[in-house]
Amino acid sequence: MDTRRSVWLVWSVGVFAYLVAVLQRSSFGVAGLDATARFHAAPVTLSGFVVLQLLVYASLQIPVGLLLDRYGARRLIVAGGLIMATGQLLLAVVTDLPVALLARGLVGAGDALTFISVLRVVGAWFSPRRAPLMTQLTALIGQLGQVLSAIPLVALLHGAGWTAAFGSAAGLGTLALVLAWVVVRDRPRGVVDTAAAPTLGEVVRGLREAWLTPGTRLGFWSHMGTQFSGTVFALLWGMPFLVAGQGLRPVEASVLLTVFVVAGIVVGPVIGELTARHPLRRSWMVLAIIAATAAAWTAVLLAPQPAPRWLLVVLVLVLAAGGPGSIVGFDFARTFNPGGRQGTAVGIVNVGGFSASLVVVLAVGLVLGAVGGPDGYTPEAFRAAWCVQYAVWAIALVGVLRSRRLTRRRMAREGVVVPSLREVITRRRALARSSGTAG
């Protein structure tokens, strides 16, 4: 059996591979003005890079889940690193717009292979009790890749230039894939995978069974409702909204985006621990995060523009909980699916948030163009554009509530009864009274 030291070494390399993937994912967003000059492209054309990246990422999640069940996490992490490094190296040297778009699509494809593969490593190397917390830590440490793209990558970009910056990103990706190949293993020594490689028919049946499992759909809608708003804000529209829509200086907006990352890192372990301690109350955390996010946006959009600075800070702090909250969706997939199709189920869940992010990115851009005129970036246009989120929240809420009801029915048939929130509160009050009397 592997030692405890080996467990942490494997996990650390997996986290590093994901951190580098997040760096590659967010690298183009910090280079927007430089990309405008390099590719002689209008802002609306540059937004196509982000749209393509998200489209490729979301569309590959289910195929990647199927590949993960068939070939294992180590091979997919290495393949993802190789594809991303190739895309970044290509982007470093080309000046032709179509080729640059192709390069960004490669980054999206490699990114799609990485995260759910690292989650599989976490599930294989840690106990079910520790897996939720380690999943949160994995996701949140990986988000430090955004900090690497915002600070050292930008410094390289404005110092040594475009080719050096993106070439360095490709080099870091190469280091990550080599380490993953040398260190990462799909499971500890002594743990035998008895599942045979699935046939095509079994793959199709596994995909169908994963989707028909109410717990998978609960994860899908949970991931959608909690993740998309923060992703859209951080990946594309947050900086224009804060600077052009709210009148912040760019340095102030950068500070708020840094707060977004740091706050998510702080909140993540808390949500992970609560998920582990109260597995029958996970959906309530999801609903609370969706409600808090919608309430924060409502307060900002209803306030006289520009909104007070303290309210923008509150918005960013609430948005930061969305990323950790979306990880609960993966925990649903892990809980309600057998090991042989967990990769498929996690892939389905991951489609939820990123497909919603893609739709909202496009919708916000369309509304900005329709309401704001040629420049699009006016406070009134942003106020109208952000309202498209409410439709997605409504869809996600209906999905969560319906799939939760179906999941509880299935659990009841299996002999697991989920007490109502009122029953839980009543029992805790009775316990507190009895403890007080005993004291």
Side-chain angles (χ1 to χ4, degrees):
M1 295 294 291
D2 286 275
T3 65
R4 187 175 181 83
R5 186 176 180 180
S6 298
V7 173
W8 290 106
L9 179 61
V10 169
W11 177 74
S12 298
V13 172
V15 170
F16 178 69
Y18 176 53
L19 184 149
V20 172
V22 173
L23 163 66
Q24 316 289 33
R25 177 195 305 172
S26 57
S27 59
F28 194 85
V30 301
L33 294 178
D34 301 85
T36 300
R38 184 175 182 85
F39 300 113
H40 307 289
V44 67
T45 304
L46 289 180
S47 68
F49 283 89
V50 176
V51 171
L52 176 63
Q53 178 182 335
L54 287 174
L55 180 62
V56 171
Y57 184 97
S59 63
L60 285 179
Q61 285 308 297
I62 293 176
V64 167
L66 298 172
L67 291 173
L68 181 59
D69 289 336
R70 185 176 182 89
Y71 296 108
R74 175 173 174 250
R75 292 180 181 178
L76 264 64
I77 293 171
V78 171
L82 179 60
I83 295 170
M84 283 186 286
T86 302
Q88 293 289 65
L89 185 60
L90 188 59
L91 191 63
V93 299
V94 302
T95 56
D96 185 62
L97 183 61
V99 180
L101 283 167
L102 171 63
R104 204 60 197 167
L106 289 175
V107 172
D111 188 16
L113 291 169
T114 305
F115 181 52
I116 64 174
S117 300
V118 175
L119 288 187
R120 172 63 70 86
V121 172
V122 172
W125 284 81
F126 291 94
S127 68
R129 174 62 180 82
R130 301 197 68 180
L133 178 59
M134 298 309 301
T135 297
Q136 286 284 355
L137 289 175
T138 300
L140 295 170
I141 294 173
Q143 293 310 307
L144 290 174
Q146 294 186 49
V147 178
L148 293 181
S149 65
I151 299 175
L153 185 67
V154 168
L156 274 174
L157 191 64
H158 295 161
W162 179 281
T163 299
F166 283 91
S168 297
L172 191 62
T174 303
L175 173 63
L177 73 90
V178 170
L179 287 175
W181 180 257
V182 172
V183 174
V184 173
R185 293 295 181 269
D186 291 339
R187 61 192 64 83
R189 285 195 301 267
V191 177
V192 180
D193 184 11
T194 58
T199 64
L200 179 60
E202 291 171 338
V203 165
V204 174
R205 284 194 299 273
L207 177 60
R208 181 176 181 273
E209 290 170 359
W211 175 251
L212 291 179
T213 300
T216 303
R217 299 200 298 276
L218 179 56
F220 176 91
W221 297 116
S222 298
H223 192 267
M224 172 182 288
T226 53
Q227 191 249 23
F228 80 89
S229 189
T231 297
V232 172
F233 189 89
L235 201 59
L236 185 58
W237 292 119
M239 182 69 78
F241 169 70
L242 294 172
V243 175
Q246 297 297 315
L248 271 64
R249 291 179 292 131
V251 65
E252 294 175 319
S254 297
V255 168
L256 280 183
L257 291 177
T258 302
V259 169
F260 172 84
V261 176
V262 174
I265 294 173
V266 173
V267 171
V270 177
I271 294 179
E273 185 63 21
L274 289 174
T275 300
R277 289 190 179 187
H278 307 285
L280 299 181
R281 295 291 166 224
R282 290 172 293 182
S283 61
W284 284 108
M285 284 188 283
V286 168
L287 294 171
I289 290 170
I290 294 175
T293 306
W297 270 114
T298 300
V300 169
L301 298 178
L302 290 180
Q305 301 296 298
R309 294 291 191 268
W310 66 266
L311 188 54
L312 294 176
V313 173
V314 171
L315 172 66
V316 168
L317 291 175
V318 173
L319 287 176
S326 70
I327 304 301
V328 177
F330 298 126
D331 202 53
F332 285 130
R334 180 186 61 81
T335 301
F336 294 107
N337 286 274
R341 68 164 189 254
Q342 283 188 6
T344 303
V346 168
I348 291 173
V349 169
N350 213 19
V351 170
F354 283 97
S355 59
S357 299
L358 170 61
V359 170
V360 174
V361 163
L362 287 171
V364 168
L366 289 173
V367 175
L368 286 174
V371 176
D375 55 5
Y377 298 159
T378 65
E380 295 76 17
F382 272 114
R383 176 180 279 177
W386 286 118
C387 287
V388 303
Q389 298 180 104
Y390 292 95
V392 181
W393 282 320
I395 294 170
L397 281 172
V398 171
V400 168
L401 294 173
R402 185 174 186 276
S403 55
R404 181 177 70 171
R405 185 173 66 252
L406 295 173
T407 300
R408 288 180 173 177
R409 287 179 183 174
R410 174 170 290 193
M411 292 171 67
R413 290 197 298 269
E414 296 171 355
V416 180
V417 178
V418 182
S420 68
L421 188 59
R422 178 179 296 179
E423 291 172 336
V424 173
I425 294 173
T426 301
R427 291 176 186 175
R428 290 184 177 178
R429 286 177 177 173
L431 180 62
R433 284 196 298 268
S434 63
S435 299
T437 302

